[in-house]
Amino acid sequence: MIDVHKTEQENETSYSSSKYRTPDGAPADIVIFTITSSKQQGKKALPARELEVMLIQRKKWPFEGQWALPGGFCAESESIYECARRELQEETGIADVHMEYLNVYSRPGRDPRGWIISHAFCALVHEDILAGRRADDDASDVRLFPVQEALKMDLAFDHREVLADALERIRERMLTTTIASEFLPEAFTISELYQVIRTVVPDFEEPNFIRKITSTQSREGIIEGMRDKDGRPILSNRYSQRAAQLYRFTGYLPSLSIYR
């Protein structure tokens, strides 16, 4: 009969990490997107909205002076997620952002400092959360850039690849969750909702958009039309001369695409 306990002790005694090459660092990189909005002057219209990403300008070698995603090395005393939260706050002053794990990046030569395996996180947050951003620690500047402009920039490391992957992730989330509600007032028009979705997913088209998201066939609708105490539709003309029906999210959370 094998003494399992003894075997485990023998394995522990004979094991040595010196037999293996370990990475030279495990940083976290963070992709923070937001939807900025600005009032269009001189006409009654929806605000102009644009998808932007937060970048920092590196203060130190390597890639000193180049724009990059915020991030930094993980300490032995913290998880990689804790590292991401700490580095985001240290470099940009932004705290308490819920981030989603994106991917691991380990292509040989991606970092001139050695064998560096990076773990990336991403989030799409309201622009108010980023209002207090400030450059600190290893960053000499922090700014918001339109995503399409950022994708054309010579970003440090492999951060353009990370950014492109993160963009695909938030586009997926925009079409499969109710995250659009974070960028809308409690009562909104279909045009406002449609604009928010297309800001993140430019090629989004759905001929039966209204019918699909208000459908009650076999399931609760994603949104519902607002009505007054007498059951009459509540209308608004804040962005157009012609009054439009106001809607609100019902709280229903689907497991599949909700807009297609």
Side-chain angles (χ1 to χ4, degrees), residues 31-54:
V31 192
I32 302 294
F33 297 99
T34 191
I35 297 175
T36 58
S37 60
S38 57
K39 185 177 181 180
Q40 299 198 54
Q41 300 298 322
K43 58 181 178 179
K44 199 171 187 179
L46 290 170
R49 287 188 168 99
E50 187 163 29
L51 181 64
E52 301 196 348
V53 63
M54 185 170 63

PDB file of all heavy atoms in Angstrom, residues 31-54:
ATOM      1  N   VAL A  31      -7.495  48.484 -19.538  1.00  0.00           N
ATOM      2  CA  VAL A  31      -8.127  49.228 -20.624  1.00  0.00           C
ATOM      3  C   VAL A  31      -9.447  49.805 -20.095  1.00  0.00           C
ATOM      4  O   VAL A  31     -10.382  49.054 -19.816  1.00  0.00           O
ATOM      5  CB  VAL A  31      -8.412  48.340 -21.849  1.00  0.00           C
ATOM      6  CG1 VAL A  31      -8.796  49.205 -23.045  1.00  0.00           C
ATOM      7  CG2 VAL A  31      -7.211  47.464 -22.184  1.00  0.00           C
ATOM      8  N   ILE A  32      -9.499  51.125 -19.947  1.00  0.00           N
ATOM      9  CA  ILE A  32     -10.695  51.782 -19.441  1.00  0.00           C
ATOM     10  C   ILE A  32     -11.326  52.607 -20.559  1.00  0.00           C
ATOM     11  O   ILE A  32     -10.737  53.574 -21.042  1.00  0.00           O
ATOM     12  CB  ILE A  32     -10.382  52.697 -18.244  1.00  0.00           C
ATOM     13  CG1 ILE A  32      -9.722  51.899 -17.112  1.00  0.00           C
ATOM     14  CG2 ILE A  32     -11.661  53.390 -17.757  1.00  0.00           C
ATOM     15  CD1 ILE A  32     -10.624  50.850 -16.481  1.00  0.00           C
ATOM     16  N   PHE A  33     -12.527  52.200 -20.967  1.00  0.00           N
ATOM     17  CA  PHE A  33     -13.283  52.925 -21.983  1.00  0.00           C
ATOM     18  C   PHE A  33     -14.348  53.786 -21.323  1.00  0.00           C
ATOM     19  O   PHE A  33     -14.822  53.483 -20.221  1.00  0.00           O
ATOM     20  CB  PHE A  33     -14.004  51.952 -22.928  1.00  0.00           C
ATOM     21  CG  PHE A  33     -13.113  51.065 -23.744  1.00  0.00           C
ATOM     22  CD1 PHE A  33     -12.865  49.760 -23.353  1.00  0.00           C
ATOM     23  CD2 PHE A  33     -12.544  51.528 -24.927  1.00  0.00           C
ATOM     24  CE1 PHE A  33     -12.070  48.919 -24.124  1.00  0.00           C
ATOM     25  CE2 PHE A  33     -11.749  50.696 -25.703  1.00  0.00           C
ATOM     26  CZ  PHE A  33     -11.516  49.391 -25.296  1.00  0.00           C
ATOM     27  N   THR A  34     -14.749  54.831 -22.013  1.00  0.00           N
ATOM     28  CA  THR A  34     -15.899  55.614 -21.594  1.00  0.00           C
ATOM     29  C   THR A  34     -16.595  56.178 -22.817  1.00  0.00           C
ATOM     30  O   THR A  34     -16.018  56.206 -23.914  1.00  0.00           O
ATOM     31  CB  THR A  34     -15.492  56.755 -20.644  1.00  0.00           C
ATOM     32  OG1 THR A  34     -16.670  57.321 -20.062  1.00  0.00           O
ATOM     33  CG2 THR A  34     -14.721  57.847 -21.377  1.00  0.00           C
ATOM     34  N   ILE A  35     -17.828  56.609 -22.634  1.00  0.00           N
ATOM     35  CA  ILE A  35     -18.569  57.294 -23.689  1.00  0.00           C
ATOM     36  C   ILE A  35     -18.688  58.752 -23.284  1.00  0.00           C
ATOM     37  O   ILE A  35     -19.339  59.068 -22.288  1.00  0.00           O
ATOM     38  CB  ILE A  35     -19.971  56.683 -23.889  1.00  0.00           C
ATOM     39  CG1 ILE A  35     -19.856  55.225 -24.347  1.00  0.00           C
ATOM     40  CG2 ILE A  35     -20.769  57.501 -24.902  1.00  0.00           C
ATOM     41  CD1 ILE A  35     -21.197  54.514 -24.462  1.00  0.00           C
ATOM     42  N   THR A  36     -18.021  59.619 -24.015  1.00  0.00           N
ATOM     43  CA  THR A  36     -18.108  61.044 -23.716  1.00  0.00           C
ATOM     44  C   THR A  36     -19.283  61.638 -24.482  1.00  0.00           C
ATOM     45  O   THR A  36     -19.655  61.149 -25.554  1.00  0.00           O
ATOM     46  CB  THR A  36     -16.819  61.778 -24.098  1.00  0.00           C
ATOM     47  OG1 THR A  36     -16.561  61.584 -25.499  1.00  0.00           O
ATOM     48  CG2 THR A  36     -15.637  61.250 -23.292  1.00  0.00           C
ATOM     49  N   SER A  37     -19.858  62.672 -23.925  1.00  0.00           N
ATOM     50  CA  SER A  37     -20.993  63.322 -24.585  1.00  0.00           C
ATOM     51  C   SER A  37     -20.840  64.828 -24.503  1.00  0.00           C
ATOM     52  O   SER A  37     -20.305  65.359 -23.529  1.00  0.00           O
ATOM     53  CB  SER A  37     -22.311  62.892 -23.936  1.00  0.00           C
ATOM     54  OG  SER A  37     -22.334  63.235 -22.565  1.00  0.00           O
ATOM     55  N   SER A  38     -21.300  65.515 -25.534  1.00  0.00           N
ATOM     56  CA  SER A  38     -21.250  66.978 -25.571  1.00  0.00           C
ATOM     57  C   SER A  38     -22.479  67.499 -26.289  1.00  0.00           C
ATOM     58  O   SER A  38     -22.921  66.923 -27.287  1.00  0.00           O
ATOM     59  CB  SER A  38     -19.978  67.466 -26.269  1.00  0.00           C
ATOM     60  OG  SER A  38     -19.894  66.940 -27.580  1.00  0.00           O
ATOM     61  N   LYS A  39     -23.034  68.588 -25.772  1.00  0.00           N
ATOM     62  CA  LYS A  39     -24.232  69.168 -26.349  1.00  0.00           C
ATOM     63  C   LYS A  39     -23.917  69.789 -27.696  1.00  0.00           C
ATOM     64  O   LYS A  39     -22.900  70.467 -27.869  1.00  0.00           O
ATOM     65  CB  LYS A  39     -24.789  70.237 -25.408  1.00  0.00           C
ATOM     66  CG  LYS A  39     -26.110  70.825 -25.847  1.00  0.00           C
ATOM     67  CD  LYS A  39     -26.640  71.817 -24.825  1.00  0.00           C
ATOM     68  CE  LYS A  39     -27.973  72.393 -25.260  1.00  0.00           C
ATOM     69  NZ  LYS A  39     -28.507  73.369 -24.268  1.00  0.00           N
ATOM     70  N   GLN A  40     -24.776  69.535 -28.666  1.00  0.00           N
ATOM     71  CA  GLN A  40     -24.605  70.124 -29.984  1.00  0.00           C
ATOM     72  C   GLN A  40     -25.220  71.520 -29.996  1.00  0.00           C
ATOM     73  O   GLN A  40     -26.409  71.695 -29.696  1.00  0.00           O
ATOM     74  CB  GLN A  40     -25.264  69.242 -31.055  1.00  0.00           C
ATOM     75  CG  GLN A  40     -24.654  67.839 -31.121  1.00  0.00           C
ATOM     76  CD  GLN A  40     -24.983  67.140 -32.410  1.00  0.00           C
ATOM     77  OE1 GLN A  40     -24.744  67.670 -33.487  1.00  0.00           O
ATOM     78  NE2 GLN A  40     -25.517  65.937 -32.323  1.00  0.00           N
ATOM     79  N   GLN A  41     -24.407  72.504 -30.292  1.00  0.00           N
ATOM     80  CA  GLN A  41     -24.837  73.893 -30.236  1.00  0.00           C
ATOM     81  C   GLN A  41     -25.745  74.268 -31.409  1.00  0.00           C
ATOM     82  O   GLN A  41     -25.561  73.811 -32.530  1.00  0.00           O
ATOM     83  CB  GLN A  41     -23.606  74.811 -30.240  1.00  0.00           C
ATOM     84  CG  GLN A  41     -22.656  74.605 -29.063  1.00  0.00           C
ATOM     85  CD  GLN A  41     -23.310  74.907 -27.740  1.00  0.00           C
ATOM     86  OE1 GLN A  41     -24.111  75.841 -27.623  1.00  0.00           O
ATOM     87  NE2 GLN A  41     -22.962  74.129 -26.716  1.00  0.00           N
ATOM     88  N   GLY A  42     -26.723  75.111 -31.103  1.00  0.00           N
ATOM     89  CA  GLY A  42     -27.534  75.705 -32.161  1.00  0.00           C
ATOM     90  C   GLY A  42     -28.647  74.861 -32.709  1.00  0.00           C
ATOM     91  O   GLY A  42     -29.335  75.274 -33.637  1.00  0.00           O
ATOM     92  N   LYS A  43     -28.857  73.655 -32.182  1.00  0.00           N
ATOM     93  CA  LYS A  43     -29.954  72.848 -32.696  1.00  0.00           C
ATOM     94  C   LYS A  43     -30.430  71.864 -31.634  1.00  0.00           C
ATOM     95  O   LYS A  43     -29.699  71.496 -30.718  1.00  0.00           O
ATOM     96  CB  LYS A  43     -29.538  72.089 -33.950  1.00  0.00           C
ATOM     97  CG  LYS A  43     -28.333  71.166 -33.785  1.00  0.00           C
ATOM     98  CD  LYS A  43     -28.006  70.493 -35.113  1.00  0.00           C
ATOM     99  CE  LYS A  43     -26.785  69.601 -34.986  1.00  0.00           C
ATOM    100  NZ  LYS A  43     -26.475  68.913 -36.260  1.00  0.00           N
ATOM    101  N   LYS A  44     -31.688  71.489 -31.762  1.00  0.00           N
ATOM    102  CA  LYS A  44     -32.290  70.557 -30.828  1.00  0.00           C
ATOM    103  C   LYS A  44     -31.996  69.151 -31.317  1.00  0.00           C
ATOM    104  O   LYS A  44     -32.651  68.640 -32.236  1.00  0.00           O
ATOM    105  CB  LYS A  44     -33.799  70.801 -30.769  1.00  0.00           C
ATOM    106  CG  LYS A  44     -34.479  70.240 -29.532  1.00  0.00           C
ATOM    107  CD  LYS A  44     -35.910  70.729 -29.460  1.00  0.00           C
ATOM    108  CE  LYS A  44     -36.538  70.316 -28.139  1.00  0.00           C
ATOM    109  NZ  LYS A  44     -37.933  70.803 -28.029  1.00  0.00           N
ATOM    110  N   ALA A  45     -30.992  68.532 -30.740  1.00  0.00           N
ATOM    111  CA  ALA A  45     -30.558  67.221 -31.218  1.00  0.00           C
ATOM    112  C   ALA A  45     -29.930  66.435 -30.085  1.00  0.00           C
ATOM    113  O   ALA A  45     -29.600  66.987 -29.027  1.00  0.00           O
ATOM    114  CB  ALA A  45     -29.553  67.386 -32.366  1.00  0.00           C
ATOM    115  N   LEU A  46     -29.770  65.147 -30.313  1.00  0.00           N
ATOM    116  CA  LEU A  46     -29.090  64.296 -29.339  1.00  0.00           C
ATOM    117  C   LEU A  46     -27.672  64.806 -29.114  1.00  0.00           C
ATOM    118  O   LEU A  46     -27.050  65.345 -30.040  1.00  0.00           O
ATOM    119  CB  LEU A  46     -29.029  62.862 -29.849  1.00  0.00           C
ATOM    120  CG  LEU A  46     -30.346  62.074 -29.913  1.00  0.00           C
ATOM    121  CD1 LEU A  46     -30.138  60.777 -30.675  1.00  0.00           C
ATOM    122  CD2 LEU A  46     -30.870  61.795 -28.518  1.00  0.00           C
ATOM    123  N   PRO A  47     -27.126  64.652 -27.917  1.00  0.00           N
ATOM    124  CA  PRO A  47     -25.741  65.061 -27.703  1.00  0.00           C
ATOM    125  C   PRO A  47     -24.796  64.234 -28.566  1.00  0.00           C
ATOM    126  O   PRO A  47     -25.110  63.093 -28.932  1.00  0.00           O
ATOM    127  CB  PRO A  47     -25.527  64.779 -26.205  1.00  0.00           C
ATOM    128  CG  PRO A  47     -26.539  63.731 -25.869  1.00  0.00           C
ATOM    129  CD  PRO A  47     -27.736  64.043 -26.711  1.00  0.00           C
ATOM    130  N   ALA A  48     -23.667  64.809 -28.914  1.00  0.00           N
ATOM    131  CA  ALA A  48     -22.661  64.064 -29.682  1.00  0.00           C
ATOM    132  C   ALA A  48     -21.951  63.115 -28.725  1.00  0.00           C
ATOM    133  O   ALA A  48     -21.456  63.533 -27.676  1.00  0.00           O
ATOM    134  CB  ALA A  48     -21.666  65.027 -30.313  1.00  0.00           C
ATOM    135  N   ARG A  49     -21.926  61.853 -29.063  1.00  0.00           N
ATOM    136  CA  ARG A  49     -21.289  60.850 -28.206  1.00  0.00           C
ATOM    137  C   ARG A  49     -20.118  60.201 -28.934  1.00  0.00           C
ATOM    138  O   ARG A  49     -20.157  59.993 -30.139  1.00  0.00           O
ATOM    139  CB  ARG A  49     -22.290  59.777 -27.789  1.00  0.00           C
ATOM    140  CG  ARG A  49     -23.316  60.239 -26.763  1.00  0.00           C
ATOM    141  CD  ARG A  49     -24.144  59.062 -26.257  1.00  0.00           C
ATOM    142  NE  ARG A  49     -24.931  59.421 -25.097  1.00  0.00           N
ATOM    143  CZ  ARG A  49     -26.221  59.738 -25.124  1.00  0.00           C
ATOM    144  NH1 ARG A  49     -26.857  59.763 -26.288  1.00  0.00           N
ATOM    145  NH2 ARG A  49     -26.873  60.028 -24.019  1.00  0.00           N
ATOM    146  N   GLU A  50     -19.075  59.858 -28.154  1.00  0.00           N
ATOM    147  CA  GLU A  50     -17.898  59.226 -28.753  1.00  0.00           C
ATOM    148  C   GLU A  50     -17.299  58.241 -27.766  1.00  0.00           C
ATOM    149  O   GLU A  50     -17.222  58.515 -26.566  1.00  0.00           O
ATOM    150  CB  GLU A  50     -16.863  60.283 -29.140  1.00  0.00           C
ATOM    151  CG  GLU A  50     -15.678  59.707 -29.913  1.00  0.00           C
ATOM    152  CD  GLU A  50     -14.877  60.779 -30.630  1.00  0.00           C
ATOM    153  OE1 GLU A  50     -14.853  61.930 -30.144  1.00  0.00           O
ATOM    154  OE2 GLU A  50     -14.268  60.470 -31.677  1.00  0.00           O
ATOM    155  N   LEU A  51     -16.866  57.093 -28.267  1.00  0.00           N
ATOM    156  CA  LEU A  51     -16.199  56.094 -27.443  1.00  0.00           C
ATOM    157  C   LEU A  51     -14.726  56.467 -27.328  1.00  0.00           C
ATOM    158  O   LEU A  51     -14.035  56.636 -28.338  1.00  0.00           O
ATOM    159  CB  LEU A  51     -16.339  54.709 -28.076  1.00  0.00           C
ATOM    160  CG  LEU A  51     -15.700  53.548 -27.296  1.00  0.00           C
ATOM    161  CD1 LEU A  51     -16.380  53.355 -25.953  1.00  0.00           C
ATOM    162  CD2 LEU A  51     -15.761  52.261 -28.112  1.00  0.00           C
ATOM    163  N   GLU A  52     -14.236  56.602 -26.090  1.00  0.00           N
ATOM    164  CA  GLU A  52     -12.850  56.987 -25.858  1.00  0.00           C
ATOM    165  C   GLU A  52     -12.183  56.015 -24.888  1.00  0.00           C
ATOM    166  O   GLU A  52     -12.858  55.279 -24.159  1.00  0.00           O
ATOM    167  CB  GLU A  52     -12.772  58.422 -25.337  1.00  0.00           C
ATOM    168  CG  GLU A  52     -13.397  59.435 -26.292  1.00  0.00           C
ATOM    169  CD  GLU A  52     -13.001  60.876 -25.981  1.00  0.00           C
ATOM    170  OE1 GLU A  52     -12.439  61.135 -24.899  1.00  0.00           O
ATOM    171  OE2 GLU A  52     -13.269  61.743 -26.834  1.00  0.00           O
ATOM    172  N   VAL A  53     -10.858  56.031 -24.897  1.00  0.00           N
ATOM    173  CA  VAL A  53     -10.080  55.150 -24.030  1.00  0.00           C
ATOM    174  C   VAL A  53      -9.051  55.988 -23.272  1.00  0.00           C
ATOM    175  O   VAL A  53      -8.532  56.973 -23.800  1.00  0.00           O
ATOM    176  CB  VAL A  53      -9.383  54.031 -24.848  1.00  0.00           C
ATOM    177  CG1 VAL A  53      -8.370  54.610 -25.840  1.00  0.00           C
ATOM    178  CG2 VAL A  53      -8.719  53.016 -23.928  1.00  0.00           C
ATOM    179  N   MET A  54      -8.779  55.603 -22.051  1.00  0.00           N
ATOM    180  CA  MET A  54      -7.823  56.337 -21.222  1.00  0.00           C
ATOM    181  C   MET A  54      -6.415  55.761 -21.396  1.00  0.00           C
ATOM    182  O   MET A  54      -6.199  54.564 -21.215  1.00  0.00           O
ATOM    183  CB  MET A  54      -8.237  56.262 -19.750  1.00  0.00           C
ATOM    184  CG  MET A  54      -7.350  57.100 -18.830  1.00  0.00           C
ATOM    185  SD  MET A  54      -8.031  57.246 -17.141  1.00  0.00           S
ATOM    186  CE  MET A  54      -8.017  55.528 -16.615  1.00  0.00           C
TER     187      MET A  54
END
